[in-house]
């Protein structure tokens, strides 16, 4: 069940950059019927991403070997942003491995309409979603549940 590889992009607004994380062992659900059954008829989400996590022994959580930080804690970091991970609405993810390397500058993808990296990603890739909600970490079955549109 947890056999998908996804690339998650966490956005750092203060520098206008996306931090990519390739995550393996995830479960990506894109079946509209399943999503409606689970989240109800008002759900407009098109994907649900389940990302496994582990307790690190110090009361924290790791994802893909990286410490997970809540969005405000991650935003407060001055350096080492790529040495930890966070999830927040407005981030994005895609099925598969991103073939780029390093931090993605949003300005490098800004077009004449002022749209940046996610707009480009959505135009050029079939399976890319903007994060609409984040739940977790859940501890009984350790994972995060991320919904996307």
């Amino acid at each position: 069940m947890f056999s998908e590889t996804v690339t998650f992009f966490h956005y750092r607004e203060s520098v206008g950059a996306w931090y990519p994380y390739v995550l393996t062992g995830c479960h990506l659900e894109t079946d509209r019927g399943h999503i409606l059954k689970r989240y109800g008829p008002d759900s407009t989400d098109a994907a649900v991403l389940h990302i496994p996590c582990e307790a690190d022994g110090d009361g924290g959580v790791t994802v893909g070997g990286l410490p997970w930080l809540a969005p405000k804690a991650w935003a407060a970091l001055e350096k080492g942003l790529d040495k930890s991970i966070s999830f927040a609405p407005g981030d994005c993810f895609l099925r598969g491995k991103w073939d780029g390397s390093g931090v993605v500058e949003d300005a490098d993808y800004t077009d004449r309409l002022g749209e940046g990296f996610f707009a480009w990603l959505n135009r050029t890739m079939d399976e890319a979603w903007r994060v609409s909600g984040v739940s977790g970490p859940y501890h009984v079955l350790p994972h995060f549940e991320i919904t996307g549109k």
Side-chain angles (χ1 to χ4, degrees):
M1 181 168 153
F2 286 81
S3 60
E4 298 271 353
T5 297
V6 298
T7 304
F8 192 91
F9 297 90
H10 187 63
Y11 188 63
R12 176 77 174 223
E13 188 172 357
S14 63
V15 295
W18 298 85
Y19 288 77
Y21 304 92
V22 175
L23 303 171
T24 58
C26 298
H27 176 69
L28 180 58
E29 181 64 56
T30 58
D31 180 284
R32 183 78 181 133
H34 177 79
I35 293 170
L36 286 172
K37 181 179 178 184
R38 178 128 191 220
Y39 296 97
D42 294 334
S43 176
T44 60
D45 295 309
V48 179
L49 174 62
H50 300 268
I51 300 174
C53 62
E54 297 178 0
D56 68 6
D58 294 326
V61 171
T62 62
V63 175
L66 296 171
W68 169 80
L69 299 174
K72 289 179 183 176
W74 191 86
L77 292 177
E78 296 291 326
K79 58 184 177 178
L81 298 169
D82 58 341
K83 304 291 187 236
S84 60
I85 191 168
S86 188
F87 310 118
D91 292 342
C92 62
F93 60 95
L94 61 89
R95 184 188 305 262
K97 183 178 179 185
W98 169 247
D99 57 6
S101 64
V103 176
V104 178
E105 300 292 331
D106 201 54
D108 292 345
Y109 292 86
T110 301
D111 61 15
R112 62 183 177 80
L113 300 175
E115 298 175 323
F117 176 67
F118 178 71
W120 174 85
L121 197 65
N122 199 33
R123 277 193 312 272
T124 60
M125 305 240 173
D126 288 323
E127 297 181 300
W129 298 272
R130 174 80 76 171
V131 173
S132 56
V134 176
S135 299
Y138 295 109
H139 296 286
V140 174
L141 295 172
H143 74 287
F144 286 87
E145 202 166 286
I146 298 173
T147 53
K149 296 180 180 186

